[in-house]
């Protein structure tokens, strides 16, 4: 078994990296330490690189459709990793999960319709709703100040569903940015409300492979045949194996009518074939990447421990919301007494960090920041030292 050293830094400058090379597009200085957008600073598994190189050496990159072996690899990963049996024939490829969210909105709603979502949540959720001429039906998550955990307010959710008349829910599981890995009983209660009110669930499960010890990801569609019948599951190897630039994701269906409606909306976009190298990389990742992922998750646990200990001892003003999954830390900065503009200036100008501001995830995210910890320990510690110095200067 290959042993991976995730401490080895990889210079990403000069690779047209959104995370490192496009600071000017966002009005950022290139000398900031970058822990924002959710991709990782780790090389993908050797087997994936080798598969890409072998395919590249073929030298022809014509129109490509995934073969049966691709769909079997996706299905085997879901079965072996998550205990979820899916029909490979129920998979459609898309260029990405956000793309698929937008397709789903167009497939299952009409302009002016309400679409349910639960902020604070990955900001493209609100974007694909509004930009497609639909109405936001917000059922915010509830933050328990005592437990430091987020929860679904089911009574509020059902009330918003009924009052808005929404027939579609965009659901994030595991949740980005608050890090919840939803328990079976939570999913069952949510699904029951959706069943009772004729609501289709589009479940973004792209972070499903980053689950912390003591927790388990339950695919929404795995709850029962009835729930599977109203659920579209969105997944991708892109987050798990750092392949986002290869532009391949999967939409998984049990209901043939939902699949046909999605396929029709997908065709309207002009999308036909998946990225050739993305197909190759995804298949190799799912077939050979399990050991790499296990080692990566162990490494990330070390980063979570570093972050929690550092904030507790050096920056007690900042409170880490305990994550159950993902590699994205959600940090409560409200004790600094800054509004969102002030917090943004403080992080950029004083701490010299490029992070994601909590308010972009919706109003409930005001006063929070999101930190991507999927980087080398040394880089994470440098960033934390800069943050500690900036907070210390505010104390004086």
């Amino acid at each position: 078994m290959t042993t991976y050293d995730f401490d080895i830094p990889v210079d990403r400058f000069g690779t047209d990296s959104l995370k490192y090379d496009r600071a000017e597009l966002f009005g950022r200085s290139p000398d900031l330490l970058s822990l924002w957008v959710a991709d990782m600073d780790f090389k993908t598994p050797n087997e994936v690189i080798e598969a890409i190189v072998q395919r590249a050496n073929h030298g022809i990159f014509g129109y490509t459709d995934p073969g049966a072996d691709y769909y079997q690899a996706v299905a085997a990963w879901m079965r072996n990793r998550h205990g979820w049996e899916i029909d490979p024939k129920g998979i459609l490829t898309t260029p990405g999960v956000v793309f698929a969210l937008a397709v789903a909105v167009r497939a299952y709603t009409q302009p002016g319709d309400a679409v349910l979502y639960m902020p604070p949540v990955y900001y493209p959720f609100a974007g694909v709703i509004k930009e497609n001429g639909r109405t936001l039906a917000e059922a915010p998550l509830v933050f328990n100040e005592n437990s430091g955990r987020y929860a679904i307010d089911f009574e509020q959710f059902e009330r918003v569903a009924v009052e808005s008349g929404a027939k579609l829910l965009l659901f994030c599981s595991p949740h980005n940015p608050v890090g919840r890995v939803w328990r079976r009983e939570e999913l069952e209660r949510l699904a029951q409300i959706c069943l009772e009110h004729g609501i289709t669930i589009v479940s973004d499960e792209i972070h499903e492979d980053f689950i912390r010890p003591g927790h388990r990801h339950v695919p929404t569609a795995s709850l029962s045949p009835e729930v599977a019948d109203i659920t579209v599951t969105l997944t991708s190897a892109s987050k798990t194996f750092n392949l986002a630039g290869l532009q391949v994701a999967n939409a998984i269906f049990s209901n043939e009518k939902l699949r046909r409606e999605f396929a029709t909306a997908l065709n309207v976009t002009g999308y036909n074939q998946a990225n050739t190298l993305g197909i190759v990389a995804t298949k190799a990742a799912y077939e050979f990447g399990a050991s790499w992922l296990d080692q990566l998750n162990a490494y990330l646990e070390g980063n979570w421990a570093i972050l929690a200990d550092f904030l507790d001892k050096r920056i007690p003003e900042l409170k880490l919301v305990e994550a159950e999954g993902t590699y994205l830390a959600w940090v409560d900065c409200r004790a600094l007494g800054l509004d969102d503009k002030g917090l943004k200036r403080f992080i950029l100008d004083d701490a010299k960090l490029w992070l994601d501001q909590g308010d972009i995830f919706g109003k409930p995210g005001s006063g929070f920041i999101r930190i991507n910890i999927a980087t080398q320990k040394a880089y994470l510690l440098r960033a934390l030292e800069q943050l500690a110095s900036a907070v210390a200067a505010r104390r004086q």
Side-chain angles (χ1 to χ4, degrees):
M1 181 184 74
T2 302
T3 300
Y4 289 88
D5 186 352
F6 296 101
D7 279 321
I8 298 174
V10 181
D11 185 0
R12 299 184 62 187
F13 286 101
T15 63
D16 292 326
S17 162
L18 178 68
K19 189 175 183 180
Y20 288 94
D21 286 330
R22 291 294 177 263
E24 72 281 358
L25 295 180
F26 303 93
R28 307 288 190 266
S29 169
D31 63 351
L32 301 174
L33 295 189
S34 185
L35 297 97
W36 66 291
V37 67
D39 73 5
M40 301 188 289
D41 293 333
F42 309 120
K43 287 187 177 182
T44 198
N46 294 336
E47 292 87 351
V48 176
I49 297 171
E50 291 164 3
I52 292 172
V53 170
Q54 182 178 350
R55 183 65 180 81
N57 284 336
H58 180 259
I60 296 176
F61 308 98
Y63 298 117
T64 306
D65 278 327
D69 54 349
Y70 171 89
Y71 297 111
Q72 291 290 348
V74 175
W77 183 264
M78 297 306 161
R79 178 176 60 252
N80 297 333
R81 204 80 190 182
H82 303 293
W84 181 30
E85 290 286 349
I86 65 172
D87 182 352
K89 295 179 182 178
I91 303 171
L92 293 175
T93 61
T94 81
V97 164
V98 174
F99 185 96
L101 288 169
V103 171
V105 167
R106 292 194 291 271
Y108 307 126
T109 65
Q110 297 298 318
D113 285 352
V115 178
L116 283 159
Y117 81 119
M118 292 181 278
V121 70
Y122 183 44
Y123 48 88
F125 276 48
V128 299
I129 296 170
K130 292 188 295 184
E131 290 161 14
N132 282 289
R134 276 62 171 176
T135 303
L136 296 170
E138 297 188 4
L141 298 177
V142 176
F143 183 54
N144 186 312
E145 299 282 353
N146 294 321
S147 68
R149 293 175 73 252
Y150 282 83
I152 299 170
D153 182 335
F154 292 102
E155 292 182 1
Q156 172 193 242
F157 177 81
E158 185 165 21
R159 183 174 65 254
V160 172
V162 171
E163 291 176 353
S164 69
K167 296 303 179 185
L168 181 65
L169 164 66
L170 301 187
F171 184 53
C172 197
S173 176
H175 194 280
N176 169 18
V178 308
R180 278 301 316 277
V181 174
W182 305 110
R183 288 159 176 71
R184 176 175 288 273
E185 56 269 25
E186 293 173 303
L187 294 171
E188 288 174 339
R189 187 169 178 187
L190 183 75
Q192 186 58 41
I193 294 171
C194 291
L195 283 166
E196 290 175 0
H197 296 287
I199 298 169
T200 298
I201 302 170
V202 176
S203 189
D204 170 4
E205 302 187 9
I206 196 170
H207 290 276
E208 65 190 350
D209 293 315
F210 297 104
I211 307 299
R212 300 189 64 193
H215 303 279
R216 178 175 177 266
H217 172 66
V218 178
T220 305
S222 73
L223 294 173
S224 70
E226 293 77 17
V227 176
D229 200 49
I230 64 165
T231 301
V232 178
T233 304
L234 306 180
T235 72
S236 178
S238 65
K239 199 67 63 182
T240 305
F241 296 100
N242 216 20
L243 306 173
L246 295 181
Q247 301 286 290
V248 173
N250 300 297
I252 303 172
F253 304 82
S254 293
N255 183 308
E256 178 58 22
K257 180 175 181 290
L258 290 181
R259 193 195 70 80
R260 287 198 309 268
E261 291 171 341
F262 188 96
T264 298
L266 185 62
N267 289 336
V268 169
T269 70
Y271 174 81
N272 289 299
Q273 280 81 27
N275 180 303
T276 302
L277 295 183
I279 295 169
V280 170
T282 298
K283 180 174 176 291
Y286 281 151
E287 290 180 340
F288 305 108
S291 174
W292 178 91
L293 178 60
D294 290 340
Q295 294 177 56
L296 172 62
N297 273 321
Y299 187 88
L300 291 174
E301 272 304 297
N303 279 4
W304 280 115
I306 287 170
L307 177 62
D309 184 68
F310 194 101
L311 293 182
D312 182 56
K313 293 178 179 177
R314 299 279 304 279
I315 324 176
E317 295 94 331
L318 307 188
K319 303 299 182 183
L320 176 63
V321 176
E322 184 175 354
E324 300 166 349
T326 83
Y327 53 72
L328 304 166
W330 189 238
V331 180
D332 186 349
C333 302
R334 290 175 294 175
L336 295 178
L338 299 168
D339 61 16
D340 289 318
K341 289 183 179 179
L343 181 59
K344 181 177 180 179
R345 286 194 299 269
F346 171 74
I347 296 296
L348 288 172
D349 299 337
D350 298 344
K352 303 294 184 185
L353 299 176
W354 188 357
L355 310 176
D356 281 310
Q357 298 298 125
D359 60 310
I360 69 173
F361 300 93
K363 290 180 181 179
S366 179
F368 289 74
I369 55 174
R370 192 187 76 170
I371 304 174
N372 177 353
I373 68 163
T375 190
Q376 285 70 38
K377 286 181 171 60
Y379 194 84
L380 177 61
L381 282 166
R382 278 180 60 198
L384 291 173
E385 288 289 351
Q386 289 181 196
L387 185 57
S389 295
V391 173
R394 275 189 59 82
R395 294 188 193 119
Q396 297 175 0

